[in-house]
Amino acid sequence: MATTTIITAALGPRVAAFTCQIDGRTVAVVNDRVSTDNRLRTQATWALLATGMDAGHAIGALHGVRS
C-alpha cells in the first residue's frame, strides 16, 4: 500500500479535505477544524479512505490534528 502524506491547513468552514497527486505521491490536505467539528472529521475520514489509507491510520491521523 502506498503511503499518503497528510498536511493540515485552514480550509474554511465548508471544506473538510482534498486529495491530489504531487510527483506521483498521494497527498491529503485536511482542514485543521477537524479537531473540533464532527461533520468535517467524518468527511475528512472518507477523503483519506478514498486515497487507499486504512481506517485505523485515517482516524489516527485526524486524531492527531490540533487546532
Side-chain angles (χ1 to χ4, degrees):
M1 179 182 297
T3 60
T4 300
T5 302
I6 300 172
I7 301 168
T8 61
L11 300 176
R14 295 188 179 158
V15 177
F18 64 89
T19 59
C20 59
Q21 293 283 327
I22 299 177
D23 290 331
R25 291 187 268 177
T26 303
V27 177
V29 181
V30 177
N31 194 332
D32 59 6
R33 293 182 186 207
V34 299
S35 62
T36 58
D37 187 329
N38 288 330
R39 181 182 56 84
L40 288 178
R41 185 179 302 123
T42 300
Q43 292 175 4
T45 301
W46 283 110
L48 293 178
L49 292 174
T51 69
M53 182 181 270
D54 67 54
H57 284 107
I59 293 170
L62 294 178
H63 180 64
V65 173
R66 302 284 185 246
S67 55

